[in-house]
Amino acid sequence: MNSIEHIEDQLKELQLQLGKHELYNVLNTLDDVQLFMEEHVFAVWDFMSLLKALQQQLTCVSVPWVPIENSVTARFINEIVHGEETDINELGIPKSHFEMYIDAMKEINADTSIMMMFLSHVSNIDSVSRGLQDLNISDKTKEFVNFTFDVIKTKKPHIIAASFTFGREDIIPEMFLKIVKKAEAQNNKKYIKLNYYLNRHIELDGDEHGPLSLQMIQELCGDDDDKWNEVLFYAKESMRKRIKLWDGITEKIKNMVTV
């Protein structure tokens, strides 16, 4: 068993918890999807922040340019940046996946104002935690984002890559597609942007970015046991934070139903 296989084996229990999470039983209507996206958009945004932190660590983004230490990891991260930050939307226009997500939220009348207000007040890495404090979002969403930036502040590429790679919500796009199709039939309307985003997410994560991320971790850790131990620790913590994020969204959806 190689190091990646060992980590994936150690994560099975947490993956099982994610796969059987109560969230998947309460997500049933387009209203549920709206509320989910209003919270989850913060995880989409901080994923992009992890991505850019990796690019800063693994490539030369300063002037004058100098050769970087590892061209293999630089290529991995640049390929992922290309797909996540400058993908092509359903109209053939270059957009980041975050922007596509915002467009999909608007299409189904989900509220984007809290995220946009937050972004207008974020000026540097230290302003993130302050900016989150007074937002009307779940405390568990705030905790998730704060953990992400604690990871970024380590400035250790293998740790950032661990949080970037593990604990993704693979089940969510497939589930959303079923709910969206049902809502389209009920409302006699097509949600083109949301469908495109979900299908693109499945395609890139499964076929390209997932495997690239694993190769990047392999390259970053090499034969360093300490690095592999840190990767495992942060992979587990990232998945635990993802579970708590799901807990917070589940609670909000259930409260919306009972009000």
Side-chain angles (χ1 to χ4, degrees), residues 68-82:
I68 40 82
E69 182 178 337
N70 190 326
S71 295
V72 175
T73 55
R75 182 176 178 85
F76 286 156
I77 198 62
N78 280 335
E79 285 189 33
I80 297 173
V81 168
H82 175 72

Side-chain angles (χ1 to χ4, degrees), residues 6 21 28-29 31 48 76-78 95 123 150 159-160 168 191 247 250 259:
H6 172 70
H21 198 282
N28 295 301
T29 69
D31 288 341
M48 296 298 297
F76 286 156
I77 198 62
N78 280 335
K95 280 198 174 185
S123 56
D150 286 342
I159 289 177
I160 301 171
R168 295 189 182 191
Y191 297 107
D247 290 343
T250 300
V259 170

Side-chain angles (χ1 to χ4, degrees), residues 41-66:
V41 66
F42 285 87
V44 176
W45 174 75
D46 77 1
F47 177 81
M48 296 298 297
S49 297
L50 282 170
L51 175 65
K52 299 306 287 185
L54 279 171
Q55 190 178 37
Q56 287 178 346
Q57 294 290 324
L58 301 178
T59 71
C60 180
V61 291
S62 60
V63 177
W65 178 87
V66 293

